[in-house]
Amino acid sequence: MGKKNYYNKASETKFEEASNIQGFDIEINKDDASRIDRLVDHYENTILSHLNEEYSRKTTWSNRLADKIASFGGSWRFILFFAAFLLVWIVWNVLPFTYHFDVTPFILLNLCLSFVASFQAPIIMMSQNRQAVREKHESIIDFAINYKSEQEIDDMQSHLHRIEGELLEVKKLILALSKTEI
């Protein structure tokens, strides 16, 4: 069944005080719209806080540490600090009047970079795996909410179709009564 667009001139004058819900011809005023927005926000915040509490309960301190290391290791702050560290290291070992603990091929620097990469990569991967599990859990909840919404919409549509059928019967009865009176 396609969507029917009904044009109502009276609703055009009420545009200042009411707006239509997107996709439907239902007029709603600003107070109701803000109330709906508050309810939806409250519902989403409740679900998110529940998920965050569950996540905090189920994660160990080592997992939380890995998440913090991964969040720092994947940030601009880390890149800037590390770039500054590398610059200081190289400048210190190149200047002629300083003590050179790592000579020009920078073998010790390469070793340090290899250690950082070899430890940082698995920690970031562990954190990403946990985040993927959490997002999967959230998507399951989203699917359940969408499925329930679809069921409610189908239920409302069946009620509307029933009411529409009854309205047609009433119209037929009124037409039949008006023809018999004439």
Side-chain angles (χ1 to χ4, degrees), residues 7 14 26 32 48-49 55 72 79 81 90 92 108-109 113-115 119 124 156 160 168 176:
Y7 180 73
K14 295 180 185 178
I26 301 171
D32 290 338
L48 288 176
S49 67
Y55 181 74
F72 176 69
I79 292 171
F81 282 149
I90 292 169
W92 183 271
L108 185 59
L109 178 62
L113 292 175
S114 297
F115 273 123
F119 283 108
I124 290 173
M156 286 191 300
L160 286 174
L168 285 174

Side-chain angles (χ1 to χ4, degrees), residues 119-134:
F119 283 108
Q120 190 178 24
I123 290 173
I124 290 173
M125 287 173 48
M126 288 186 316
S127 180
Q128 286 176 340
N129 289 340
R130 272 193 308 285
Q131 188 64 32
V133 168
R134 184 176 179 176

Side-chain angles (χ1 to χ4, degrees), residues 63-101:
N63 290 340
R64 283 193 291 271
L65 179 65
D67 289 341
K68 288 180 183 179
I69 290 171
S71 68
F72 176 69
S75 68
W76 280 106
R77 196 169 151 209
F78 170 77
I79 292 171
L80 294 175
F81 282 149
F82 206 63
F85 172 75
L86 292 175
L87 184 67
V88 168
W89 182 296
I90 292 169
V91 168
W92 183 271
N93 285 295
V94 169
L95 291 177
F97 55 85
T98 61
Y99 172 71
H100 298 186
F101 57 89

Side-chain angles (χ1 to χ4, degrees), residues 108-176:
L108 185 59
L109 178 62
N110 286 326
L111 181 67
C112 292
L113 292 175
S114 297
F115 273 123
V116 168
S118 65
F119 283 108
Q120 190 178 24
I123 290 173
I124 290 173
M125 287 173 48
M126 288 186 316
S127 180
Q128 286 176 340
N129 289 340
R130 272 193 308 285
Q131 188 64 32
V133 168
R134 184 176 179 176
E135 288 174 0
K136 182 179 179 183
H137 186 66
E138 289 177 7
S139 69
I140 289 170
I141 290 172
D142 287 343
F143 173 77
I145 291 170
N146 290 340
Y147 183 73
K148 178 69 175 166
S149 297
E150 185 179 348
Q151 286 178 333
E152 300 246 347
I153 289 169
D154 287 343
D155 188 41
M156 286 191 300
Q157 281 182 334
S158 66
H159 286 304
L160 286 174
H161 288 303
R162 182 185 50 82
I163 291 170
E164 191 177 51
E166 290 174 358
L167 184 61
L168 285 174
E169 289 178 20
V170 169
K171 282 183 179 179
K172 287 178 185 176
L173 286 174
I174 290 174
L175 280 174

